[in-house]
Structure formats: structure tokens, C-alpha cells
Amino acid sequence: MCGIAGYIGHKIADQVLIVALERLKYRGYDSAGMAVVRDGEIHLRKAAGKLKNLSERIEAQPVVGRCGIAHTRWATHGAPTETNCHPHLSTDGRIAVVHNGIIENHEVLRRELKDQGCIFASETDTEVIPHLISTLYDGDPVAAVRAAIARLDGQFAFAVVFADQADRIVAARKGSPLLVGRGKKEMLLASDVPALLPHAQEVMFLEDGHIADFNADEVRICSFDGAAVAPRFKPIEISADAVSKGDHDSFMSKEISEQPEVLLRLIESRLRAGRLVEPDLGLDLAEVNHIVFLACGTSWHAALLGKRFLEHLARVHVEVDISSEYRYRNPIASGGTLVVAISQSGETADTLAGLRLARAKFIPVVGLVNVVTSTIARESNGVMPLMAGPEIGVASTKAYTAQIMALYLFALQVARAKGLLSQPEEARAIVSARAIVEHAARTLAECEDPVAEAADIFTSADATVFLGRGGEHPTALEGALKLKEIAYVHAIGYPAGEFKHGPIALVTRQLPVICIVPRDAMYEKMLSNLQEVRARSGRIITVGQAGDRSLADLSDHVFPVRMAPDDLLQPILSILPLQRYAYHVARRRDCDVDQPRNLAKSVTVE
Ligand code: M6R
């Protein structure tokens, strides 16, 4: 959580840093601040609330300087007030720090530093860092930072500026991402690549246990124990356009609309001469006989579908674990087990911890990630990229459908490695996968009006139930999660057959019940479940095939979806109207769809 940015160069730092924070606010957005070094002093600007509050403050009180650090916060220790907002200062105001992560021994350090005369202003764990550095600083910034790090427990990425070092930023990483960007006579620092654009042309990913010390021309890297490390930059491959909203009013809306092209790009990336390529995962898929999926949130919903694919196509035994549970179990490591860590960001702390636990038990790990430069990607034995492009909206949309498709293709690859997929079957599966691209585009176009109409009617509903069976149970869970997180509507997703065992008591004339009813093997069963809701006067919205009379007769509203040629892939289409529904309800309730309250895009704390 939290986004860090830094700039040294010939441009006005505050302007560069505000744009960088704008690109990082998906990591947290409850307060923001900036420290600029000028004329031997540190000038601080902070504001609680959204980033525009900080922009307004800076506009009213500009600080013209060429070197600064900035932060957008997702509160962990201390409420999201201006006092708790970063940067934090040493008692004499000569050292400023921005931090992402958690300092676990902050209470002990705080007591010790107070005894030494340090005066604390905030309730944050972060504030111990500038005080600690100031007690150790004798004119050598890197030596002071190294000595301070030796006292810090926990995980962090932080950046420091010193009032007497007008052209220097020192940054360190242990567990939270941090990147240095190099431009023409300017150097940037950020938690993620988009924040380096458009100024930097090259990027260097700081490794865990490394410190970067840089000015506008040069960066020096050393390890925490002081050994010099050669900096390794590589060209930045994404463009500034990829991180803009384009013609859309929100990133979420743009990302929903991108799904057909994302799916196409992903499928093509896994094919060569019309056949599935052997994934380069450093292991023999034929020998895998047990797969454990680790994931959180939306990625966990995709994992539930991955289990269906692998069991059905490759006859492999699969477990799906919520990462925050797996990491505290004592999982059994047997030969033939593979862990697949699924994460859009590749930075989710719980999934990363699960990955590390698996690797400590010598279980091979494959990362299914969107951000290929992420920590999960780097710490996995093999990587399967999602190819979805930057996902900025906090609600995961295009990454979800890409995860489902990637898992389907992976299941085919495992099936083929095990001799369970003939060449004609493989060819048919590829045709089915490719057909989804067109079906997704049509579904998005055809569902839009009915979805918007239903959103008008149900904007004020204070609860919603989502029901699905088989592959559409994860769709129900995901539809409910989308509505909860961006529209703040209490919602539950339930397996439709289980609904009568208790939750059906919730049904009233006011309750919208959204049922996902494609023409699959569960169709007749779902119709019976619909009847049960109808008999109790619930308001029924169905996600189903256009023109299905039986469905229309039982429904108050129908969200039309195209039918996938392979039922296994139907959930990719069924979720599309539900993403749009959550979006429309949220807009009508005046919610910020890209930055819902209390959330952050990458959950890098436990
Ligand atoms: O980056 P990850 O896929 O690991 O993130 C996992 C969850 O935090 C994420 O899916 C979250 O549930 C989203 N806000 C859902 O829209």
C-alpha cells in the first residue's frame, strides 16, 4: 500500500511529483504529501483526503525546487489525517522520509528515540525512520541510512531527502517495490513504472536489501552491508497512453471495454503456428499431479475456475487456497505438487508470503501475474504473464477475464503434456478460445442498455444477492464483490443450489436477486432455483441468452450475454454485464469507481 515518488532534475519537482502521485493513487489515496529541498531547507506540503487537495494546496503555496519526494497514503498506523500523512520529518526538520510498508518494531524505537529527545508529531510507524536517521547522520547520508536500516524490523521501501543535500535522494528497499527511472539529466523514483512516465526512458528495479543514492546524472547502488552493486537499467516498454483514461470517464470503464483486445492478445501470445506453445516454466507439466492455487479477492475467484479447468481437462487434483489462510497452515509438500500464485499486481503481501512458504518447502511456484516485473514474478520459478496492460481501477476487471482465459490455456497445456488432449481437441479448444473475443465485444455492446436500465431501478437497493451454479458460482462471487467494493452495496454471491439452506430467508419484494443462467448443463437446475425466488416475490435479474423465453418469463430484467462455444469459458462472458452493473450503480450513487473508499489496488500489507 501507499505510493512513493521522487524527482531530481531540471524540471520543477512539485509538478512532476503531482503527476507521479496521480499515477500511483491506485495504491492508496486517503492523504498525500510532498517534501521539496530548496535553499538548504525542506519545504513540506500535505493534505488529508484526495490528491486534488494537495494539488490545490501546492497551487496556493508553490514550492519551486528541483529535488523532492512525495507520497500517497493508505493508512495502516494512525488515521488518515494531515499530521499522519507523509513525508515525516526529523525533530529539527532537516530530514524528510516517505515510506511504504510496516516498521514492526516502531514502538520500541519510538520509546528509545523519545528518550534521546526526539519529538514525535504523528501516530505513524514511519516517523521513527527520519528520527532514527537524524540520530545517526554526520554528513554521510548513505552511512546514516544503512545504520538506521540495521535497526528496522519489517518490510519497507522508503526515500529520504536531507536539507543539506540539495541534489540527492537516498532510497532503500526491503519487501516493498521501488524503481529508479532515468531520463535526460533527470532521475525519478517510484513504486511503479507508470509514475516514471513520460520523463524516464529507462528503469531499474531496486532489489530487496539494496540502497539507491542518486542525483540527476548518476545512481549508485549498494547493499545494506555497504557492498557496491552495478546499476542495471532497461528500457521502459509501456507508453503514457496506456495509463490514461482515453475517452472514458474512469479507468474502470476503460478497462472493462478493453477486455476483447486483452483476451485476443493473451491467446495469441500463447500460440505458435496455431498450436499452444509449451510454457517455459522450468518444470515438466506431465509430472504435476497436484496443484495449489494461491490468490486473494478477484484472483481467488479466477482460481476457483482454474480448478474446474484443470480437473476437467487435465484430471489433476487441485486445491484453491486464500493466500492469507495458506500462509499460516502447514501445507504438505509432496512430489508432483505445483503452487500457482495468481495475482494481478504481483505484489499482494499474503500471496507473496504463501509463495515464499511454498518455496521454503521446495515446492515449485509459477506466478500468474499481470505485472511481470513484480515481486511475485521475480520470486517464482516460472511466470505466466496475463498481458492485460496496466490495470489502474481498484476494481479488477480486465485482469479477471484474462486470468480465466490464461488458466484455461494452462489447463490445456497440462492436459496435452499428460497425453489427455489430442491434436483435434486442442484445435477445437483454440477455436473456442478465439471465439470468446468476438462474443465479449458483442456482449459488452448488447448488455449496456438493459444493464443501465436495471441500475436506474435498483440504485437504492441496500442489498443484492447473486446466484450461480458450477462455473457461474465464481461469477456470482465476483459480481457481488464488484458491487460491494465500488458501489458500497451489501452483496452476497451464493451457489444457487445452496440458497435454500438459509439465505433464501433474505428474499423480499425489495431484494434484487441476480441469477446467472447460461445455457449450460446447470440450466434446468437454475430455472428451478429461480422459481424458488420468484415464489417468494424476489426481484429477479437474469444473466442469460438473448431471446430465451423461459428465462424472460421468470425475470424482471434480463442482461443478455452471448453463449461461449465451450461452457468452460462462459464465465468470461457472464461477468461482463455484472462489471457494467456495478459500474452503473456506483455512478448513480455518486461513488468514485476508480478509488473506492478504504481500498487500495495493491495490498502490500498483511
Ligand atoms: O493484485 P492481486 O490480484 O493479488 O489482488 C488481489 C485482490 O486484492 C484484488 O483482486 C481485490 O480483491 C480487487 N480490489 C478486486 O476488484
Side-chain angles (χ1 to χ4, degrees):
M1 306 317 225
C2 303
I4 290 179
Y7 177 79
I8 305 184
H10 47 91
K11 296 176 183 136
I12 295 174
D14 65 3
Q15 291 172 9
V16 176
L17 289 171
I18 280 287
V19 175
L21 290 184
E22 185 65 42
R23 303 245 169 89
L24 291 172
K25 66 187 184 189
Y26 71 88
R27 303 178 66 86
Y29 37 79
D30 56 37
S31 52
M34 185 181 296
V36 173
V37 185
R38 203 192 68 196
D39 301 334
E41 283 185 26
I42 291 176
H43 301 262
L44 211 57
R45 301 287 182 270
K46 294 183 177 194
K50 293 278 168 80
L51 183 57
K52 74 171 177 27
N53 299 352
L54 178 66
S55 303
E56 284 165 11
R57 182 144 309 174
I58 288 172
E59 229 166 82
Q61 295 173 281
V63 226
V64 182
R66 311 282 167 190
C67 167
I69 54 176
H71 188 268
T72 179
R73 181 167 186 244
W74 186 84
T76 56
H77 294 63
T81 59
E82 191 167 315
T83 318
N84 287 331
C85 152
H86 302 213
H88 291 287
L89 293 177
S90 55
T91 309
D92 60 7
R94 309 284 297 160
I95 293 171
V97 169
V98 290
H99 162 231
N100 173 28
I102 290 180
I103 305 302
E104 285 164 4
N105 58 339
H106 71 102
E107 281 175 10
V108 179
L109 290 172
R110 181 181 276 253
R111 275 198 295 276
E112 196 182 296
L113 289 159
K114 274 185 175 172
D115 288 347
Q116 291 178 45
C118 296
I119 299 167
F120 279 76
S122 76
E123 304 156 275
T124 64
D125 55 333
T126 301
E127 201 185 339
V128 297
I129 306 175
H131 290 302
L132 193 55
I133 294 173
S134 85
T135 61
L136 299 161
Y137 183 53
D138 62 2
D140 181 344
V142 174
V145 167
R146 280 183 46 221
I149 286 171
R151 301 289 324 279
L152 299 177
D153 291 340
Q155 62 156 53
F156 50 77
F158 67 77
V160 198
V161 286
F162 298 76
D164 62 352
Q165 307 275 342
D167 184 20
R168 197 164 185 181
I169 295 176
V170 180
R173 172 188 170 152
K174 183 186 162 202
S176 302
L178 204 53
L179 291 57
V180 180
R182 185 160 65 185
K184 294 188 179 72
K185 293 210 161 294
E186 56 191 340
M187 211 72 84
L188 293 98
L189 184 76
S191 307
D192 198 359
V193 178
L196 303 173
L197 298 171
H199 314 283
Q201 289 81 48
E202 294 173 302
V203 62
M204 182 190 59
F205 293 84
L206 202 60
E207 296 289 334
D208 269 349
H210 285 182
I211 296 171
D213 169 24
F214 59 94
N215 57 28
D217 302 308
E218 188 193 8
V219 57
R220 285 176 296 272
I221 308 292
C222 69
S223 59
F224 287 176
D225 59 15
V229 177
R232 257 188 267 147
F233 281 90
K234 56 184 197 179
I236 294 179
E237 274 159 12
I238 60 167
S239 71
D241 284 352
V243 290
S244 80
K245 289 181 198 163
D247 296 336
H248 293 263
D249 62 3
S250 60
F251 282 107
M252 182 188 184
S253 182
K254 177 180 177 231
E255 288 157 7
I256 290 173
S257 76
E258 284 171 355
Q259 290 175 102
E261 65 183 86
V262 166
L263 292 166
L264 179 63
R265 188 162 60 228
L266 172 64
I267 296 164
E268 295 306 329
S269 75
R270 301 292 204 271
L271 300 177
R272 199 158 305 130
R275 298 216 51 194
L276 284 165
V277 286
E278 196 72 42
D280 182 16
L281 302 175
L283 58 113
D284 182 357
L285 291 178
E287 285 176 9
V288 172
N289 54 33
H290 176 213
I291 292 180
V292 181
F293 285 125
L294 298 185
C296 305
T298 288
S299 298
W300 180 71
H301 299 155
L304 296 173
L305 289 164
K307 175 180 167 78
R308 292 180 70 80
F309 301 159
L310 277 145
E311 288 180 350
H312 184 80
L313 295 166
R315 306 306 295 152
V316 175
H317 178 69
V318 179
E319 285 174 78
V320 181
D321 250 301
I322 288 181
S323 311
S324 53
E325 294 296 321
Y326 178 85
R327 64 182 292 189
Y328 292 112
R329 289 206 282 111
N330 185 11
I332 296 163
S334 54
T337 297
L338 170 68
V339 162
V340 179
I342 307 178
S343 172
Q344 185 284 132
S345 62
E347 300 294 347
T348 299
D350 287 319
T351 306
L352 186 56
L355 174 159
R356 287 176 178 159
L357 174 65
R359 291 212 58 182
K361 288 175 176 283
F362 304 102
I363 304 173
V365 178
V366 168
L368 178 58
V369 296
N370 194 32
V371 183
V372 287
T373 49
S374 61
T375 313
I376 289 179
R378 280 184 287 117
E379 294 198 14
S380 297
N381 301 84
V383 178
M384 295 189 285
L386 284 179
M387 322 284 297
E391 189 180 68
I392 312 272
V394 164
S396 190
T397 53
K398 63 177 179 174
Y400 177 61
T401 47
Q403 283 166 339
I404 302 172
M405 181 59 84
L407 286 165
Y408 177 76
L409 299 173
F410 177 60
L412 293 172
Q413 286 161 329
V414 178
R416 191 177 64 181
K418 287 180 171 291
L420 295 174
L421 190 76
S422 66
Q423 197 166 332
E425 285 168 333
E426 180 185 332
R428 271 198 299 278
I430 292 168
V431 169
S432 300
R434 281 198 166 123
I436 293 296
V437 176
E438 179 67 18
H439 284 317
R442 286 183 186 275
T443 298
L444 282 170
E446 291 162 4
C447 75
E448 185 60 14
D449 290 345
V451 164
E453 206 176 288
D456 279 338
I457 293 167
F458 296 111
T459 298
S460 324
D462 52 14
T464 302
V465 170
F466 292 76
L467 298 179
R469 294 179 85 119
E472 303 300 355
H473 172 222
T475 310
L477 296 175
E478 177 62 7
L481 177 59
K482 291 288 92 89
L483 195 63
K484 275 185 275 212
E485 70 179 335
I486 65 161
Y488 316 144
V489 175
H490 176 68
I492 57 165
Y494 233 78
E498 184 68 9
F499 195 51
K500 57 186 170 294
H501 296 285
I504 200 166
L506 294 169
V507 175
T508 63
R509 277 180 203 288
Q510 284 73 45
L511 183 77
V513 181
I514 301 186
C515 304
I516 304 121
V517 200
R519 282 264 176 192
D520 61 10
M522 291 287 125
Y523 178 74
E524 299 294 341
K525 305 274 174 216
M526 275 305 294
L527 288 190
S528 306
N529 297 139
L530 247 70
Q531 295 279 12
E532 292 158 8
V533 176
R534 185 142 197 98
R536 287 155 185 86
S537 310
R539 310 281 297 276
I540 297 179
I541 302 169
T542 47
V543 176
Q545 191 170 26
D548 182 328
R549 292 299 302 274
S550 317
L551 217 52
D553 288 348
L554 281 169
S555 313
D556 296 290
H557 302 267
V558 178
F559 297 165
V561 276
R562 293 280 165 149
M563 293 298 111
D566 181 347
D567 286 350
L568 287 176
L569 290 171
Q570 184 60 36
I572 295 182
L573 303 173
S574 301
I575 192 59
L576 302 176
L578 302 184
Q579 293 171 343
R580 291 300 296 171
Y581 181 71
Y583 163 83
H584 279 296
V585 173
R587 298 286 299 174
R588 283 158 180 73
R589 291 165 72 97
D590 271 338
C591 302
D592 183 338
V593 299
D594 284 339
Q595 296 171 45
R597 70 183 178 212
N598 305 340
L599 297 178
K601 183 72 178 162
S602 310
V603 185
T604 57
V605 292
E606 197 181 333

Coordinates of all heavy atoms in Angstrom, one line a residue, residues 171-205:
A171 N 17.3 6.1 -1.2 CA 16.1 5.2 -1.1 C 16.5 3.8 -0.8 O 17.6 3.4 -1.2 CB 15.3 5.3 -2.4
A172 N 15.7 3.1 -0.1 CA 16.0 1.7 0.3 C 14.8 0.8 0.1 O 13.7 1.2 0.3 CB 16.5 1.7 1.7
R173 N 15.1 -0.5 -0.1 CA 14.0 -1.4 -0.3 C 14.2 -2.7 0.4 O 15.3 -3.3 0.3 CB 13.9 -1.8 -1.8 CG 12.9 -2.9 -2.1 CD 12.9 -3.4 -3.4 NE 12.1 -4.6 -3.3 CZ 11.3 -5.2 -4.2 NH1 11.2 -4.6 -5.4 NH2 10.6 -6.3 -4.0
K174 N 13.2 -3.1 1.2 CA 13.2 -4.5 1.8 C 11.7 -4.9 1.8 O 11.0 -4.6 2.7 CB 13.7 -4.4 3.2 CG 13.8 -5.8 3.8 CD 14.2 -5.7 5.3 CE 13.8 -6.9 6.1 NZ 13.7 -6.6 7.5
G175 N 11.3 -5.6 0.7 CA 10.0 -6.2 0.7 C 8.9 -5.4 -0.1 O 7.9 -5.9 -0.5
S176 N 9.1 -4.1 -0.2 CA 8.1 -3.3 -1.0 C 8.7 -2.7 -2.2 O 9.9 -2.4 -2.2 CB 7.5 -2.1 -0.1 OG 7.0 -2.6 1.1
P177 N 8.0 -2.7 -3.3 CA 8.6 -2.3 -4.6 C 9.1 -0.9 -4.7 O 8.5 0.0 -4.1 CB 7.5 -2.5 -5.6 CG 6.2 -2.4 -4.9 CD 6.5 -2.9 -3.5
L178 N 10.2 -0.7 -5.4 CA 10.8 0.6 -5.6 C 11.6 0.6 -6.9 O 12.4 -0.3 -7.1 CB 11.7 1.0 -4.4 CG 11.9 2.5 -4.1 CD1 10.6 3.3 -4.0 CD2 12.7 2.7 -2.8
L179 N 11.4 1.6 -7.7 CA 12.1 1.7 -9.0 C 12.8 3.0 -9.2 O 12.2 4.0 -8.7 CB 11.0 1.6 -10.1 CG 10.2 0.3 -10.4 CD1 9.5 -0.2 -9.2 CD2 9.2 0.7 -11.5
V180 N 13.9 3.0 -9.9 CA 14.6 4.2 -10.2 C 14.4 4.4 -11.7 O 14.6 3.5 -12.5 CB 16.1 4.2 -9.9 CG1 16.7 5.5 -10.3 CG2 16.3 3.9 -8.4
G181 N 14.0 5.6 -12.2 CA 13.8 5.9 -13.6 C 14.9 6.9 -14.0 O 15.1 7.8 -13.3
R182 N 15.4 6.6 -15.2 CA 16.5 7.5 -15.7 C 16.0 8.2 -17.0 O 15.5 7.6 -17.9 CB 17.7 6.8 -16.0 CG 18.9 7.6 -16.4 CD 20.2 6.9 -16.2 NE 20.4 5.8 -17.1 CZ 21.4 4.9 -17.0 NH1 22.4 5.1 -16.1 NH2 21.5 3.9 -17.9
G183 N 16.0 9.6 -17.0 CA 15.7 10.3 -18.1 C 16.9 11.1 -18.6 O 18.1 10.7 -18.3
K184 N 16.7 12.2 -19.3 CA 17.8 13.0 -19.8 C 18.1 14.1 -18.8 O 17.4 15.0 -18.5 CB 17.4 13.7 -21.1 CG 17.2 12.7 -22.2 CD 17.1 13.4 -23.6 CE 16.9 12.3 -24.7 NZ 15.6 11.6 -24.6
K185 N 19.2 13.9 -18.1 CA 19.7 14.8 -17.0 C 18.6 14.9 -15.9 O 18.3 16.0 -15.3 CB 20.0 16.1 -17.5 CG 21.3 16.1 -18.4 CD 22.0 17.4 -18.3 CE 23.4 17.3 -18.8 NZ 24.3 16.5 -18.0
E186 N 17.9 13.8 -15.7 CA 16.9 13.8 -14.6 C 16.7 12.3 -14.1 O 16.9 11.4 -14.9 CB 15.6 14.4 -15.0 CG 14.9 13.8 -16.2 CD 13.8 14.6 -16.7 OE1 13.2 15.4 -16.0 OE2 13.4 14.4 -17.9
M187 N 16.4 12.2 -12.8 CA 16.3 10.8 -12.2 C 15.0 10.8 -11.4 O 14.7 11.8 -10.8 CB 17.5 10.6 -11.3 CG 17.9 9.2 -11.2 SD 18.7 8.5 -12.7 CE 20.4 9.0 -12.5
L188 N 14.3 9.7 -11.5 CA 13.0 9.6 -10.8 C 13.0 8.4 -9.9 O 13.8 7.4 -10.1 CB 11.8 9.6 -11.7 CG 11.6 10.8 -12.6 CD1 12.2 10.7 -14.0 CD2 10.1 11.1 -12.7
L189 N 12.1 8.4 -9.0 CA 11.9 7.2 -8.1 C 10.4 7.0 -8.0 O 9.6 7.9 -8.0 CB 12.4 7.6 -6.7 CG 12.4 6.5 -5.7 CD1 13.6 5.6 -5.9 CD2 12.6 7.1 -4.3
A190 N 10.0 5.7 -8.0 CA 8.5 5.5 -7.9 C 8.3 4.0 -7.4 O 9.2 3.2 -7.5 CB 7.8 5.7 -9.2
S191 N 7.1 3.8 -6.9 CA 6.6 2.4 -6.6 C 6.2 1.6 -7.8 O 6.1 0.4 -7.7 CB 5.4 2.5 -5.6 OG 5.7 3.3 -4.5
D192 N 6.0 2.3 -8.9 CA 5.5 1.6 -10.1 C 5.9 2.3 -11.4 O 6.1 3.6 -11.3 CB 4.0 1.4 -10.0 CG 3.5 0.3 -10.9 OD1 4.3 -0.3 -11.6 OD2 2.2 0.1 -10.9
V193 N 6.0 1.6 -12.5 CA 6.6 2.2 -13.7 C 5.7 3.4 -14.2 O 6.3 4.4 -14.6 CB 6.7 1.1 -14.8 CG1 7.2 1.7 -16.1 CG2 7.6 0.0 -14.4
P194 N 4.4 3.3 -14.3 CA 3.6 4.4 -14.8 C 4.0 5.8 -14.2 O 4.0 6.8 -14.9 CB 2.2 4.1 -14.6 CG 2.2 2.6 -14.5 CD 3.5 2.2 -13.9
A195 N 4.4 5.8 -13.0 CA 4.7 7.1 -12.3 C 6.0 7.7 -12.8 O 6.3 8.8 -12.5 CB 4.8 6.9 -10.8
L196 N 6.8 6.9 -13.6 CA 8.0 7.4 -14.1 C 7.8 8.1 -15.4 O 8.7 8.8 -16.0 CB 9.1 6.3 -14.3 CG 9.4 5.4 -13.1 CD1 10.3 4.3 -13.5 CD2 10.1 6.3 -12.0
L197 N 6.6 8.0 -16.0 CA 6.4 8.5 -17.4 C 5.8 9.9 -17.3 O 5.2 10.3 -16.4 CB 5.3 7.6 -18.0 CG 5.7 6.1 -18.2 CD1 4.6 5.3 -18.7 CD2 6.9 6.0 -19.2
P198 N 6.1 10.7 -18.3 CA 6.9 10.4 -19.5 C 8.4 10.8 -19.4 O 9.1 10.7 -20.4 CB 6.2 11.3 -20.5 CG 5.9 12.6 -19.8 CD 5.5 12.1 -18.4
H199 N 8.8 11.1 -18.2 CA 10.2 11.7 -18.1 C 11.3 10.7 -18.3 O 12.3 10.9 -18.8 CB 10.3 12.4 -16.7 CG 9.2 13.3 -16.4 ND1 9.0 14.5 -17.0 CD2 8.1 13.0 -15.6 CE1 7.9 15.0 -16.6 NE2 7.3 14.2 -15.7
A200 N 11.1 9.5 -17.7 CA 12.2 8.5 -17.7 C 12.0 7.6 -19.0 O 10.9 7.2 -19.4 CB 12.1 7.6 -16.5
Q201 N 13.1 7.2 -19.5 CA 13.1 6.3 -20.7 C 13.6 4.9 -20.2 O 13.4 3.9 -20.9 CB 14.1 6.8 -21.8 CG 13.6 8.0 -22.6 CD 13.8 9.3 -21.8 OE1 15.0 9.5 -21.4 NE2 12.8 10.1 -21.6
E202 N 14.3 4.9 -19.1 CA 14.8 3.6 -18.6 C 14.5 3.4 -17.1 O 14.3 4.4 -16.4 CB 16.4 3.6 -18.7 CG 16.9 3.6 -20.1 CD 18.4 3.8 -20.1 OE1 18.9 4.8 -19.5 OE2 19.1 2.9 -20.6
V203 N 14.4 2.1 -16.7 CA 14.0 1.8 -15.4 C 15.0 0.8 -14.8 O 15.5 -0.1 -15.5 CB 12.5 1.3 -15.3 CG1 12.4 0.0 -16.1 CG2 12.1 1.2 -13.9
M204 N 15.2 1.0 -13.5 CA 15.9 -0.1 -12.7 C 15.1 -0.5 -11.5 O 14.6 0.4 -10.8 CB 17.2 0.5 -12.2 CG 18.1 -0.5 -11.5 SD 19.5 0.2 -10.7 CE 18.7 1.3 -9.6
F205 N 14.9 -1.8 -11.4 CA 14.1 -2.3 -10.2 C 15.1 -2.5 -9.1 O 16.0 -3.3 -9.2 CB 13.4 -3.6 -10.6 CG 12.3 -3.3 -11.6 CD1 12.6 -3.3 -13.0 CD2 11.0 -3.1 -11.2 CE1 11.6 -3.0 -13.9 CE2 10.0 -2.8 -12.2 CZ 10.3 -2.8 -13.5

